[in-house]
Amino acid sequence: KLSSLLDSRLKMRSQFGVTTKTLANTRALREAIKTIRSNGLKMAKFCRADVLLQSIVRLAKVCNSSTIVARDAVRIPSSVNDLGEYMTAASDNLREAAGNAVTAYTFSTLEQYIPLCLIQTVRVLAAGQGIVTKAPLTMNGVEALDRSGSVLYRDLKGATSFDNSFWDIELAAVSFERSATFFGMMELEMGELEAYYQDNRNDFSEQDFQLMFTMDGPKRKGDVNRYHTLFKKMERK
């Protein structure tokens, strides 16, 4: 923004305000403006990469959180709350230091990226990795994951509630709802999972459905043969 403003000041204008040509004796200044623009783009890309990295670091801890196997109460994983606080602080600091444009770019696509990370957490747990190697998944744990999605939606929306933000409320709703649906499959009984697979086969990949049939949930014992039987049955239709 600064480089564009400076660049516009180097243009000669007619009495009617129409830009005519660039001043000829400002070559050094024009080069300085190009440097400002180039460094500004590099900074914006670095900030975006850093926010994505910080999101990964925090969300990667969820699959090892004791809240996933808690029996006494539903608690949000501390790393989820930490990510929400980080996004709020990062948004405030970036807007103050670099402006809305850089902040908007930095937080762009997070409404898709965070739900994908949450889904990946479910895949890790469904594969029998993470905290479930020490204790079984509980209904409280599934509810904790679902609430984590709601908390992160709220915090991300708050962090991107400024002028010229790239926040897409419809895309965010679809992405977070899809992750919530994926969480929900973990708590289904085997018969309910079979019915869901038959009615909503295109919602997720075959690999994801096979993983869900394989995993032990709070209300079911994993049985991959049930998946293969149902898959063959549906393929014949």
Side-chain angles (χ1 to χ4, degrees):
K1 185 176 181 181
L2 174 61
S3 62
S4 298
L5 177 61
L6 292 174
D7 195 43
S8 67
R9 295 295 179 88
L10 297 180
K11 306 289 185 179
M12 293 182 61
R13 298 178 180 276
S14 67
Q15 59 179 335
F16 302 107
V18 179
T19 301
T20 55
K21 62 179 181 178
T22 303
L23 296 174
N25 58 346
T26 55
R27 179 177 179 181
L29 184 56
R30 290 202 304 275
E31 291 299 321
I33 292 172
K34 290 180 181 179
T35 300
I36 292 173
R37 179 179 288 113
S38 175
N39 289 337
L41 292 172
K42 291 178 182 178
M43 182 192 71
K45 291 178 180 179
F46 173 82
C47 290
R48 187 166 187 264
D50 186 59
V51 167
L52 291 176
L53 178 61
Q54 294 299 329
S55 298
I56 292 174
V57 169
R58 287 163 172 81
L59 291 176
K61 297 177 181 179
V62 174
C63 61
N64 290 313
S65 172
S66 61
T67 61
I68 305 301
V69 295
R71 295 184 176 277
D72 57 335
V74 178
R75 291 186 294 272
I76 304 298
S78 59
S79 57
V80 170
N81 290 323
D82 184 35
L83 177 57
E85 293 172 1
Y86 167 78
M87 290 190 297
T88 300
S91 176
D92 292 341
N93 292 335
L94 274 173
R95 282 187 287 120
E96 181 178 353
N100 286 7
V102 170
T103 308
Y105 174 76
T106 299
F107 281 83
S108 62
T109 70
L110 273 183
E111 67 267 26
Q112 293 177 276
Y113 190 79
I114 288 177
L116 285 175
C117 287
L118 291 174
I119 288 176
Q120 185 60 33
T121 296
V122 174
R123 292 183 179 127
V124 171
L125 295 171
Q129 302 173 12
I131 191 66
V132 294
T133 60
K134 300 179 181 179
L137 175 70
T138 64
M139 288 295 293
N140 287 338
V142 177
E143 179 64 22
L145 288 171
D146 188 55
R147 292 188 187 181
S148 295
S150 299
V151 167
L152 290 172
Y153 175 90
R154 179 200 65 196
D155 291 341
L156 180 58
K157 183 179 180 181
T160 55
S161 295
F162 54 85
D163 292 340
N164 300 320
S165 168
F166 294 154
W167 169 262
D168 188 328
I169 188 169
E170 293 183 359
L171 185 58
V174 170
S175 298
F176 277 92
E177 181 62 30
R178 187 171 187 271
S179 65
T181 301
F182 204 61
F183 303 152
M185 284 198 291
M186 301 179 78
E187 64 181 15
L188 298 178
E189 296 178 359
M190 185 58 76
E192 294 173 325
L193 181 60
E194 288 179 326
Y196 180 84
Y197 174 61
Q198 289 177 299
D199 295 337
N200 304 277
R201 189 179 179 187
N202 295 325
D203 285 2
F204 300 99
S205 69
E206 291 296 333
Q207 290 82 0
D208 282 335
F209 278 115
Q210 182 173 343
L211 196 59
M212 283 295 166
F213 276 88
T214 304
M215 70 166 285
D216 293 333
K219 296 181 179 180
R220 69 174 182 266
K221 181 72 175 177
D223 185 354
V224 71
N225 291 327
R226 300 279 287 270
Y227 166 78
H228 290 305
T229 300
L230 193 57
F231 175 79
K232 292 176 182 178
K233 178 181 176 181
M234 296 182 68
E235 286 293 295
R236 288 196 294 265
K237 291 184 178 179

